Amino acid sequence: MTERSAPARAMPAVGRRDFIRLAGATAAGWLALGAAADRMRVVASITGLPLDDELTRRNMTDTTTSRLGGLIGGLKQRGWVEGVNIRFEVRSSFGAPAKLQAAIRELLDLKPDVILTSSTIETAAVMAATTTIPIVFATANDPVGNRFVASLAHPGGNVTGFTSSTAEMGGKWLQLIEEAVPGLTRVGILFNPATTPRAGRFFLDSIEQEAAASGMTVEAVPVDSAADIDAAISRFSNPPRAAMIALVDSFLVINRQAVVAAAARYRVPMIYPFHYFVDAGGLMSYGPTLEVRAADYVDLILRGTRAGDLPVQSPRKYELIINRTVASSLGLKLPFTLLARADEIRE
């Protein structure tokens, strides 16, 4: 177990186009590593977050721990250098549904060699637009159930990528929040049916099974707009003792500040699937450790490997993060057995 303070503020945003330049090497030096020099390759990326979102800015910095920075650094090690033999293009689909289609059209017009997607929604939309350009999803739940791939071992088609959670995670979230909140009798499950896997059922089944075994009452709390978040969470501020679980959901990630603020305002303990929510002031999270592994696949695809021949990879490690200061503000005295299992405790 390690104890660390919250991470430092993200680096400021950089330009929309050609936003990261990795310098310090000549073209000849990097081409010696074996990357093709016949033409400039285009790696396109689409995200559901606004480009000025703090999480987007963090992912677009040139550090190896950021998603895009790690990708660029990993490709650089393999001989692909921004501005020399590869170019990165990023578009945001944030906004009305038409914005998603417009962003995809912009990227397709660039004739990219590979497209990286950030969520289930973007992956489905890009797949509907092309069956030939290789697609690598950075995070996806239930890629087989969503018909992104034929199987995890043999995806087929033009798509592969990385999963972020299994259905059994739902039951694990319930166990953890029950351990953190003594006397807990009911739990609300917050999600947007339009943006969470199988409209919520992907995780709800295991949550309900765990609840039945422990005598807990579980209530699904669907929301479909940011304006619904406050009222949805306020319902769990009254007796009997209640808590909430936020599902894996791109809508909730985009609106994480509003979710965390409402949970604090109404003093509702909530567990989240990603550390992004704890970064915003949330109580605790349990989810996959961020590993930037896309460079391996993008490199292979740029060298001619079919995306469908690359197996979908699952997380190799999960992490439990707890903010003890937030717990104290909610009147929670967390048991030592829970704290001892935490990978990170924030004060």
Side-chain angles (χ1 to χ4, degrees), residues 315-337:
R316 292 181 291 193
K317 181 182 178 183
Y318 291 85
E319 61 182 3
L320 172 63
I321 300 176
I322 297 172
N323 189 314
R324 192 151 51 185
T325 300
V326 174
S328 296
S329 72
L330 295 171
L332 298 176
K333 185 174 177 58
L334 300 177
F336 175 77
T337 53

Side-chain angles (χ1 to χ4, degrees), residues 24-331:
T26 64
W30 289 113
L31 295 176
L33 293 177
D38 55 336
R39 62 181 176 84
M40 184 75 73
R41 307 301 178 92
V42 177
V43 176
S45 179
I46 187 166
T47 175
L49 294 167
L51 290 180
D52 61 356
D53 185 281
E54 181 182 0
L55 184 54
T56 308
R57 294 199 304 268
R58 187 186 307 168
N59 285 335
M60 289 171 63
T61 60
D62 58 356
T63 63
T64 56
T65 56
S66 70
R67 179 165 289 161
L68 196 54
L71 169 67
I72 293 176
L75 288 174
K76 179 179 178 181
Q77 293 175 347
R78 293 161 177 80
W80 301 100
V81 183
E82 163 72 2
V84 175
N85 54 5
I86 197 169
R87 186 172 92 248
F88 297 90
E89 295 282 348
V90 177
R91 298 293 184 274
S92 170
S93 64
F94 178 74
K99 182 65 182 295
L100 173 59
Q101 297 305 320
I104 292 173
R105 284 195 300 271
E106 281 188 34
L107 290 180
L108 293 182
D109 287 344
L110 298 172
K111 296 180 171 52
D113 295 274
V114 60
I115 299 176
L116 305 176
T117 58
S118 62
S119 75
T120 298
I121 292 177
E122 281 79 37
T123 303
V126 174
M127 286 184 65
T130 178
T131 58
T132 56
I133 298 174
I135 299 168
V136 177
F137 49 81
T139 58
N141 295 279
D142 194 22
V144 176
N146 283 308
R147 299 183 179 179
F148 293 165
V149 297
S151 71
L152 298 183
H154 304 285
N158 62 318
V159 184
T160 189
F162 305 87
T163 62
S164 56
S165 296
T166 64
E168 292 73 23
M169 286 288 288
K172 183 65 174 180
W173 292 323
L174 183 60
Q175 292 173 6
L176 289 169
I177 197 65
E178 185 178 7
E179 191 172 353
V181 184
L184 186 63
T185 61
R186 62 191 183 109
V187 176
I189 315 300
L190 187 68
F191 63 97
N192 184 333
T195 52
T196 197
R198 297 189 193 176
R201 292 309 321 174
F202 185 68
F203 297 108
L204 279 170
D205 287 345
S206 66
I207 292 174
E208 291 172 351
Q209 289 171 8
E210 179 65 27
S214 61
M216 190 75 58
T217 298
V218 169
E219 180 181 348
V221 187
V223 292
D224 56 18
S225 73
D228 297 335
I229 292 173
D230 191 87
I233 294 176
S234 69
R235 292 164 46 193
F236 292 85
S237 62
N238 299 319
R241 190 64 159 133
M244 297 190 77
I245 296 171
L247 296 188
V248 174
D249 184 343
S250 58
F251 168 83
L252 295 183
V253 172
I254 292 170
N255 293 285
R256 64 195 180 280
Q257 297 285 354
V259 173
V260 169
R265 183 162 48 253
Y266 296 110
R267 298 177 57 79
V268 178
M270 188 178 300
I271 187 169
Y272 305 94
F274 303 118
H275 70 84
Y276 318 137
F277 293 90
V278 181
D279 296 345
L283 171 63
M284 61 193 299
S285 67
Y286 182 73
T289 303
L290 175 62
E291 294 182 280
V292 183
R293 294 182 281 165
D296 294 330
Y297 275 11
V298 172
D299 175 59
L300 288 169
I301 290 169
L302 292 178
R303 296 177 189 276
T305 303
R306 292 177 63 253
D309 291 337
L310 298 171
V312 174
Q313 296 189 41
S314 300
R316 292 181 291 193
K317 181 182 178 183
Y318 291 85
E319 61 182 3
L320 172 63
I321 300 176
I322 297 172
N323 189 314
R324 192 151 51 185
T325 300
V326 174
S328 296
S329 72
L330 295 171

